[in-house]
Amino acid sequence: MTISSPANPQTYVYDFSMGDRSQGDLLGGKGANLAEMTRMGLPVPPGFTITTEACRYFLEHGHGPDGLRIQIAQETAHLEEVMGRRLGDPENPLLVSVRSGARFSMPGMMETVLNIGLNDASVAGLARHAGDQHFAWDSYRRLIQMFGKTVLDLPGDDFEHALEDMKASAGVVTDIDLPVASLKRLVDVYKSIVREGTGHEFPQDPYQQLDLAIRSVFHSWNTDRARLYRRQERIPHTLGTAVNVQVMAFGNAGEGSGTGVAFTRDPGSGARGVYGDYLQNAQGEDVVAGIRNALPLQDLEGIDKAAYDELIDTMNKLELHYRDLCDIEFTIEKGKLWMLQTRVGKRTAAAAFRIAVQLVDEGVISMDEALMRVTGHQLGQLMFPRFASSDSDQKIGRGMNASPGAAVGRVVFDSKTAVDWAAAGERVILVRRETNPDDLEGMIAAAGILTSRGGKTSHAAVVARGMGKTAVCGAESLDVDTKARVMTTEDGLVVKEGDVLSINGSTGDVFLGEVPVVESNVVMYFESGLEAALADADEPTAELIKAVDRIMQHADHQRRLAVRANADTPEDATRARHMGAEGIGLLRTEHMFLGERKTYVERLILADDEADRKEALEALLPLQRKDFIRILEAMDGLPVTIRLIDPPLHEFLPNLTELAVRVALAEARGEDVESDLRLLQAVNRLHEQNPMLGLRGVRLGLVLPGLFALQVRAIAEAACFRQRMGGHPRAEIMIPLVGSIQELELVIDEAAGVLKEVADANGCTLRFPIGTMIELPRAALTAGQIAEAAEFFSFGTNDLTQTTWGFSRDDVESAFFSAYLEKGVFGVSPFESLDREGVGELVRIAVEKGRLTRPNLHCGVCGEHGGDPDSIHFFDQVGLDYVSCSPFRVPVARLEAGRASLERHVSSGQVGVTLSDTR
């Protein structure tokens, strides 16, 4: 990192005593929390943090900023002075770790190097000072192995195979059992791997080791797996990572030493109590990698009660200080406890709801804060199905319940196969001895993850919980052979790749074959009420349901946005109402014309004269009227926004190619083709190259006389019938694909005449608002004019996204979206989450212009974005009145609407809420 020496260099390096947890953007999450623990007076090994600003500069310019090298040298010298030891000292060397630390936790995605400072001379000094040859040489081989893989980019398998060969030749099972002579030979083998792989010797200069390790951590921000993880978690690529340089605490220093990971509550279930893993005579990476099965944290009490008591006391202090579940990494070196990391812990969806409400009941946080600590995504996870029973006679093993849920799929033994099979439509279970960061793509693709090694804090468990994936870890009775692509049970049963497995992440059970699933208890709560959902629930499930109920009630109390549902049938409408929908925001009438009714529309479109057209319309009227009666009954008293027919024309006509072939074959056989030929001529006349931008929406209603009038009449007669039955129908008529006020005025004039005629004939009152969908950029830009006629706007963000980007969704998603996501053109698909800068800006413009013309203009959204959590927050900000989504997403939208209101109040300073980001 070549630099100059400016007079007043910017600070790029912070001692742990200089920062605090509020500086996560600058110091990264790990660095900020190490600084916070230092300020709290907890036992933290000294060290310093290189800022994210330095990383961003390095990645942009290929070298560090001016002043960085000098600041690192100064802080290193300060560490040496404080510790009374020097890096590389052959008598008593100082050793440090170099770890990444991004703003948001990215477990295992970036690099870590331990034991920096060891070389051929200092390893002997470490052995003499510690009085332990095994500890010193084990630390040296770990350094070369980690440095070779992460810094020098050598294949990790080369080192692993050498380690396995050495254990085999020594006749031992674990690395801690290797004799000193074997460790020395292993160091020589590792150095030869470095020499052959790089053409250079392993670096003996400890300051060069430190410099190269820091560079490696910077570079690791942009590795494929790190970028993939950030896309999965929606973490911006622009943040960069901090680098933490910290004095080593040795968990592998022999008797009285060890390392562990602890949580202040169970991150899987939310249960209170001691939770975590501990490995004796090991370094921290051993626990996370899961290469040895750890002891439950409770066992530490019997091993070293003083250290255990201090750890529990520290955990309590941290949870009270952070006011949330804390994830802690610690090392015990010869009886001395050292805190290596803390952060607000990742948790499962169930744990998030339970912990939030627990903290409210303990007086730690408010209900507002509890609402902000759960997400719509987590609520959606809780609504997934669960296994009907865990009593299947096909149970073949059991591991640790690392991440809850029910997953069924075909067995695969490597990440690439998981990705390939999933892309082909298969549900897969990724089976590994243990996972590592290179398995991330397969973990994302898989329905569930099963490992035979590792614990609840292993890489597989932590990443799975963060992604909401079902996972069972540490199923020791299952022998996984990834080379042979088989898994063998204790009873000798062989499970091959492609066989079906079912894994229960809530219990840890593993089953051969497909176990039936049933509806989630949380879905039962929404559909049948609290009492019904609690009837057969066990204690943890009951606690969860009660927590969901309390938070949902608070979200409903806080939210400004109403939540409606997109529903086309009485059954959908009824379910939506049970889910808490406050009306229907989109009833797509074209769906009512599919199946047998399609022929009526075909007759209408192909009618040659007024008589044929009238006959077709008269056949459709009673069918439409009956549809609307049933839906208005299901949503009695609530608004029902009915979109007049809006299909691409080709959906109601025979396929041109198929029809032409049929006519040609009939002619060749000498058959009568007059009817089909007439149909073919009409289809040819109406054929469109781009039906999505052709004769549809308002255009179809204007071109086909009587079509919209038929629908308006059916709605009006249905409403009159419901009024006579004592109901309270609240229909709203929505005109689709409007681009100009003239189009809208023509339809409104026709509709108003029909409504008056039906009202007069039936003696009923029909005051239906008539509005339009805003789904074309021109409509958004001329919204002020359109609002002169429209009484409400509903944003059709699916089509608005297509027409703004110039996309045909059915074509582009498979054609190039994956490449756009990979290259960073999209952070997320614009059909999944609203494009705020483009489509969102059109929404904002339309709302503002529309309300300048009509101040009381009612505005909502009925595209798929209405159920997307991030998009809901935007819709709240721009002042929409409601969102509408699928019935199943209604609870998610209600929750996020409540969170959006709180978020808006927090940003404006109206309320004080401490937000806890667990990404």
Side-chain angles (χ1 to χ4, degrees), residues 121-156:
S122 62
V123 66
L126 180 65
R128 285 193 299 272
H129 183 77
D132 189 337
Q133 291 267 339
H134 188 282
F135 154 66
W137 285 95
D138 178 59
S139 298
Y140 194 18
R141 72 91 186 165
R142 289 172 181 270
L143 167 63
I144 301 171
Q145 182 173 0
M146 297 183 76
F147 197 94
K149 180 182 177 183
T150 63
V151 179
L152 304 178
D153 201 27
L154 297 173

Side-chain angles (χ1 to χ4, degrees), residues 364-411:
V364 177
I365 64 174
S366 67
M367 276 303 297
D368 281 351
E369 289 172 296
L371 176 56
M372 295 305 293
R373 291 191 181 184
V374 297
T375 67
H377 177 69
Q378 290 168 331
L379 180 60
Q381 290 177 5
L382 294 179
M383 297 172 71
F384 291 154
R386 56 187 172 86
F387 284 138
S389 170
S390 293
D391 299 328
S392 171
D393 58 6
Q394 289 297 303
K395 181 175 174 180
I396 59 171
R398 186 169 193 173
M400 297 183 186
N401 51 331
S403 185
V408 180
R410 296 175 64 194
V411 172

Side-chain angles (χ1 to χ4, degrees), residues 772-792:
T772 184
M773 289 187 81
I774 303 292
E775 47 195 331
L776 297 174
R778 190 182 193 282
L781 295 173
T782 62
Q785 296 176 28
I786 292 174
E788 293 174 12
E791 296 177 80
F792 66 85

Side-chain angles (χ1 to χ4, degrees), residues 24-25 27-31 52 99-106 110 221 230 235 239-244:
D25 289 336
L27 305 179
K30 185 175 296 181
T52 56
R99 300 173 186 263
S100 62
R103 170 66 182 89
F104 300 110
S105 175
M106 296 172 54
M110 292 181 291
W221 175 256
R230 290 198 295 275
I235 298 171
L239 299 180
T241 181
V243 180
N244 299 286

Side-chain angles (χ1 to χ4, degrees), residues 620-826:
L620 282 169
L621 178 60
L623 300 174
Q624 280 272 271
R625 183 171 56 236
K626 183 178 179 181
D627 292 332
F628 294 136
I629 287 173
R630 294 175 64 206
I631 287 180
L632 290 173
E633 181 180 10
M635 278 289 169
D636 192 57
L638 296 177
V640 178
T641 305
I642 302 169
R643 182 178 73 184
L644 302 186
I645 190 168
D646 179 31
L649 194 59
H650 71 281
E651 291 186 7
F652 288 105
L653 296 175
N655 180 275
L656 177 61
T657 302
E658 292 177 359
L659 184 57
V661 170
R662 191 169 81 200
V663 169
L665 290 174
E667 284 179 332
R669 292 190 297 265
E671 298 172 0
D672 180 15
V673 296
E674 181 180 352
S675 175
D676 277 350
L677 188 59
R678 178 170 164 267
L679 182 59
L680 178 60
Q681 290 169 344
V683 172
N684 259 314
R685 184 178 71 252
L686 297 170
H687 178 68
E688 298 174 318
Q689 294 297 328
N690 190 345
M692 293 302 294
L693 295 178
L695 185 57
R696 54 172 289 214
V698 67
R699 304 159 193 168
L700 187 63
L702 294 176
V703 170
L704 285 181
L707 179 58
F708 279 3
L710 155 79
Q711 293 193 289
V712 173
R713 182 175 298 277
I715 295 167
E717 291 179 356
C720 287
F721 177 82
R722 287 296 306 144
Q723 287 181 16
R724 288 197 298 272
M725 294 296 103
H728 300 280
R730 293 180 56 192
E732 300 176 349
I733 297 173
M734 183 160 66
I735 316 302
L737 211 71
V738 165
S740 75
I741 187 173
Q742 290 83 2
E743 292 173 315
L744 185 59
E745 286 174 337
L746 288 169
V747 176
I748 288 177
D749 286 347
E750 182 181 35
V754 173
L755 290 174
K756 184 178 186 307
E757 178 186 333
V758 173
D760 290 346
N762 290 272
C764 59
T765 303
L766 299 176
R767 293 175 181 165
F768 297 161
I770 301 178
T772 184
M773 289 187 81
I774 303 292
E775 47 195 331
L776 297 174
R778 190 182 193 282
L781 295 173
T782 62
Q785 296 176 28
I786 292 174
E788 293 174 12
E791 296 177 80
F792 66 85
F793 286 170
S794 180
F795 291 91
T797 51
N798 297 346
D799 275 355
L800 189 57
T801 297
Q802 292 193 95
T803 54
T804 300
W805 279 91
F807 287 158
S808 169
R809 179 175 183 173
D810 292 340
D811 298 322
V812 299
E813 285 192 309
S814 59
F816 61 81
F817 265 34
S818 59
Y820 267 40
L821 289 165
E822 175 67 29
K823 295 177 185 298
V825 178
F826 297 149

Side-chain angles (χ1 to χ4, degrees), residues 350-487:
F353 278 84
R354 290 179 68 188
I355 290 172
V357 171
Q358 287 169 7
L359 292 173
V360 171
D361 291 342
E362 293 166 17
V364 177
I365 64 174
S366 67
M367 276 303 297
D368 281 351
E369 289 172 296
L371 176 56
M372 295 305 293
R373 291 191 181 184
V374 297
T375 67
H377 177 69
Q378 290 168 331
L379 180 60
Q381 290 177 5
L382 294 179
M383 297 172 71
F384 291 154
R386 56 187 172 86
F387 284 138
S389 170
S390 293
D391 299 328
S392 171
D393 58 6
Q394 289 297 303
K395 181 175 174 180
I396 59 171
R398 186 169 193 173
M400 297 183 186
N401 51 331
S403 185
V408 180
R410 296 175 64 194
V411 172
V412 296
F413 289 98
D414 67 86
S415 179
K416 184 178 184 305
T417 304
V419 172
D420 291 345
W421 287 21
E426 296 279 0
R427 290 181 62 81
V428 298
I429 303 294
L430 178 62
V431 178
R432 304 284 286 163
R433 285 197 183 98
E434 69 275 337
T435 64
N436 62 59
D438 293 331
D439 290 320
L440 181 63
E441 285 189 275
M443 296 174 76
I444 292 173
I449 300 151
L450 170 65
T451 69
S452 59
R453 297 178 182 171
K456 293 182 179 180
T457 57
S458 64
H459 174 268
V462 172
V463 174
R465 281 196 296 271
M467 293 193 299
K469 292 277 184 182
T470 298
V472 173
C473 295
E476 296 177 338
S477 64
L478 302 176
D479 180 20
V480 177
D481 187 338
T482 55
K483 289 184 179 179
R485 309 186 88 76
V486 297
M487 177 177 71

